[in-house]
Amino acid sequence: HTPWLRDAQSEAQKQQRLATLFDLAETAKQKKKTLAKLEKLQGDSGGFPWFNGGYTNEYITRHIAAGLGHMKKLGIKNDDTPQTDRMYQNAIDALDKEWLKRFNKYLERNKSLENYSYSNAFWHYLYARSFDVVSIEKSDQLLQEAVGYAFAKAEKSYSSQPLYTKLLMAITLHRNGKTKLASSIIEGLKQTAVKSDENGMYWKENKNSWYWYSSDIETQALAIEAFQEVAADLTSVEELKIWLLKNKRTNQWKSTKATADATYALLLQGGKWLDVEKNNKITWGNKPLPADKMKAVEKEAGTGYFKITMNAPEVYKELATVTVKNKSEVTGYGALYWQYFQDLDTIKVDDDLPLSVKKKLFKKVMTDSGEKLDEITSEDPLKIGDLITVRLIIKTNADMDFVHLKDMRASGFEPVDVISKYKWQDGLGYYQSTKDVATHFFFDKMNKGTYVFEYDVRANNAGQFSNGITQLECMYAPEFSSHSEGMRVKIEE
């Protein structure tokens, strides 16, 4: 049913490509090719364009310099280190020249840089060059003066800055010896964070926007770096990681940029992410995992992922209980699914959050005051020709990508709108597809909230019919799902 087949295939291919990362010779070869390509893009000034042949882009240069700085921070040292160090230093030199040009232009109209507006971009620049703090002390006198003013203003202005900028400030100040102010920023952020067992630690204002400093994934990754480096608060770091990993379960990380930053944040503390397999002890139905089933399962290279299926004759009551003991230093995820058959009419509503869906049927009645909707139940007979409005009420307590809503339809009903197309309703964009048995709604993005959808069908056959159920599911995290209760409808001549 889903229009995201290619995404699903791409996900499977990504899993298969994991194996190539364990071929160290091939990885080293590809890395050399990539670094050579990147250095070729670096202009004579040391800056990088967005695309080959374009003008030097100051933001792209900052971004790449920060990425090379991340490699330095992780302590990656190999034959390519002289090349990456050279690229990093050239990029920093280009950024220094660009900012000195801006400061000199400002000084043409002003006496000093004291009242200069030190923007988000400036703090990102200082963050990018903070991976080599010594270079600030050897830099141009005017640049040192600007940094001094920026640090002084930060003490009074940091509270009004966006979340991402506060984190940039904290890390940069800490690396430049302003540890007291950096710690105050982190403490303030900790006080305003939301904490929960299920979602970890996060900030409500951390939302995506069109600004470069408004990316939820990159902000959360930067928070992990800040809380670890500035505060050495490993408990908060683990809580921050939970939010980051849970987001990945229900969403795509939207860009290579966000994915790289998230990966860097997860690698900062310990390198035991691939030790999950040997550090997990799983007991299923008070017994170890069945040896015959495990032999037939090929574990995914590196990640320890596996899946076991038990068929009906093998299932017994105790299999409803799984015990997992995680002795590793990293968070793991798993799921248990129980699949069975049930008459549609007897299915009870499943409206536990994070996802829930309810379905109601209304008969459209024309009155002197206009159109009126009368709710109908299994006991209320309909007439052939009656126009019925199907109302679906969706609730989600988390942002989710790729959500599929399948609304089954009684065989005595015919849809009024049979053309499949993209639509907008109640603040959500979705693709609606009408099929013989059900109407399908596909949402690329569903933000936290409550939504109401309506569409019309017409009663066209007499009899008693099962109206089925409505199913709601996050496609790439099927444990996040819900369904409405089943009901019957009666249509008379």
Side-chain angles (χ1 to χ4, degrees), residues 152-172:
K153 289 185 76 173
E155 189 163 3
K156 297 177 181 178
S157 66
Y158 77 83
S159 59
S160 62
Q161 299 297 322
L163 177 59
Y164 191 80
T165 306
K166 289 178 185 176
L167 294 164
L168 291 174
M169 285 179 164
I171 295 171
T172 304

Side-chain angles (χ1 to χ4, degrees), residues 11 37-38 82 101 114 166 244 264 286 391 411 429 460:
E11 188 73 16
K37 185 177 179 182
L38 187 63
K101 187 192 300 181
E114 186 175 3
K166 289 178 185 176
L244 192 64
Y264 165 66
N286 300 320
R391 178 178 293 170
S411 55
N460 73 326

Side-chain angles (χ1 to χ4, degrees), residues 213-258:
Y213 51 83
S214 298
S215 167
D216 55 352
I217 299 302
E218 290 158 67
T219 300
Q220 191 77 5
L222 193 64
I224 292 172
E225 182 179 11
F227 273 77
Q228 178 175 334
E229 184 174 338
V230 178
D233 186 350
L234 300 187
T235 302
S236 293
V237 167
E238 286 304 315
E239 293 294 314
L240 291 164
K241 285 181 179 179
I242 289 173
W243 184 94
L244 192 64
L245 290 168
K246 184 169 181 182
N247 178 282
K248 185 66 173 71
R249 294 170 74 200
T250 58
N251 298 272
Q252 284 193 124
W253 285 343
K254 293 293 187 294
S255 65
T256 52
K257 184 172 173 291

Side-chain angles (χ1 to χ4, degrees), residues 54-71:
Y55 293 106
T56 295
N57 185 294
E58 195 264 343
Y59 169 69
I60 295 298
T61 304
R62 292 197 321 255
H63 167 56
I64 294 176
L68 293 168
H70 290 167
M71 295 174 66

Side-chain angles (χ1 to χ4, degrees), residues 84-329:
T84 54
D85 284 350
R86 181 174 65 249
M87 291 164 62
Y88 175 78
Q89 192 56 56
N90 288 341
I92 294 302
D93 289 345
L95 290 170
D96 286 352
K97 289 174 185 174
E98 173 61 29
W99 281 95
L100 283 169
K101 187 192 300 181
R102 296 182 187 186
F103 294 145
N104 281 313
K105 190 172 181 179
Y106 179 83
L107 289 174
E108 290 174 5
R109 305 182 305 274
N110 300 274
K111 291 182 179 180
S112 77
L113 295 172
E114 186 175 3
N115 295 317
Y116 185 83
S117 179
Y118 296 100
S119 61
N120 304 304
F122 180 75
W123 284 101
H124 189 227
Y125 152 63
L126 288 187
Y127 168 78
R129 77 184 327 285
S130 69
F131 294 94
D132 186 6
V133 179
V134 178
S135 65
I136 286 233
E137 299 168 4
K138 297 179 179 179
S139 63
D140 186 279
Q141 185 64 36
L142 181 58
L143 181 59
Q144 292 185 46
E145 184 182 327
V147 171
Y149 280 130
F151 286 178
K153 289 185 76 173
E155 189 163 3
K156 297 177 181 178
S157 66
Y158 77 83
S159 59
S160 62
Q161 299 297 322
L163 177 59
Y164 191 80
T165 306
K166 289 178 185 176
L167 294 164
L168 291 174
M169 285 179 164
I171 295 171
T172 304
L173 289 164
H174 178 77
R175 290 176 181 173
N176 285 277
K178 307 293 183 181
T179 53
K180 186 176 180 181
L181 178 54
S183 298
S184 297
I185 295 173
I186 294 298
E187 183 59 32
L189 289 172
K190 189 174 181 179
Q191 297 298 327
T192 58
V194 179
K195 297 178 184 178
S196 73
D197 292 339
E198 184 180 355
N199 297 313
M201 180 174 167
Y202 61 100
W203 290 268
K204 287 184 178 180
E205 66 266 32
N206 186 17
K207 298 288 185 182
N208 281 321
S209 179
W210 50 84
Y211 299 115
W212 63 267
Y213 51 83
S214 298
S215 167
D216 55 352
I217 299 302
E218 290 158 67
T219 300
Q220 191 77 5
L222 193 64
I224 292 172
E225 182 179 11
F227 273 77
Q228 178 175 334
E229 184 174 338
V230 178
D233 186 350
L234 300 187
T235 302
S236 293
V237 167
E238 286 304 315
E239 293 294 314
L240 291 164
K241 285 181 179 179
I242 289 173
W243 184 94
L244 192 64
L245 290 168
K246 184 169 181 182
N247 178 282
K248 185 66 173 71
R249 294 170 74 200
T250 58
N251 298 272
Q252 284 193 124
W253 285 343
K254 293 293 187 294
S255 65
T256 52
K257 184 172 173 291
T259 303
D261 280 356
T263 304
Y264 165 66
L266 295 172
L267 286 172
L268 274 172
Q269 186 188 355
K272 299 183 178 180
W273 286 90
L274 304 182
D275 294 347
V276 177
E277 179 182 344
K278 61 186 179 184
N279 285 309
N280 276 328
K281 184 178 180 181
I282 303 175
T283 305
W284 193 12
N286 300 320
K287 297 179 182 179
L289 295 175
D292 58 328
K293 297 283 184 183
M294 291 298 291
K295 285 180 183 178
V297 172
E298 183 179 353
K299 292 182 181 178
E300 192 176 89
T303 67
Y305 171 82
F306 65 92
K307 178 181 178 180
I308 294 177
T309 302
M310 304 286 269
N311 295 316
E314 305 170 281
V315 175
Y316 51 93
K317 183 179 178 181
E318 284 72 23
L319 289 183
T321 302
V322 174
T323 304
V324 181
K325 292 185 178 178
N326 181 4
K327 297 180 181 178
S328 72
E329 296 176 5

Side-chain angles (χ1 to χ4, degrees), residues 361-474:
L361 299 181
F362 297 87
K363 182 168 73 171
K364 280 192 175 180
V365 180
M366 295 303 298
T367 67
D368 293 340
S369 57
E371 194 174 80
K372 178 185 174 185
L373 294 179
D374 288 340
E375 186 173 354
I376 60 174
T377 67
S378 302
E379 309 302 321
D380 301 318
L382 299 168
K383 300 285 187 183
I384 290 179
D386 282 347
L387 191 61
I388 311 301
T389 294
V390 181
R391 178 178 293 170
L392 306 171
I393 303 170
I394 301 170
K395 290 183 180 179
T396 173
N397 67 359
D399 296 343
M400 296 193 182
D401 284 352
F402 305 119
V403 178
H404 176 207
L405 177 67
K406 176 184 177 183
D407 182 36
M408 301 177 75
R409 185 173 60 250
S411 55
F413 288 155
E414 275 297 312
V416 172
D417 187 0
V418 297
I419 305 298
S420 297
K421 57 186 175 182
Y422 200 86
K423 293 184 175 182
W424 285 89
Q425 194 175 163
D426 201 19
L428 271 184
Y430 59 93
Y431 186 80
Q432 181 176 330
S433 176
T434 304
K435 299 294 185 182
D436 291 339
V437 176
T439 300
H440 301 266
F441 303 84
F442 302 100
F443 308 91
D444 286 330
K445 180 76 176 176
M446 182 179 287
N447 291 325
K448 176 181 178 180
T450 301
Y451 305 93
V452 179
F453 290 87
E454 293 182 350
Y455 70 99
D456 292 341
V457 295
R458 194 173 292 279
N460 73 326
N461 286 312
Q464 290 199 15
F465 306 94
S466 170
N467 194 42
I469 60 173
T470 303
Q471 295 169 287
L472 183 65
E473 180 179 275
C474 184

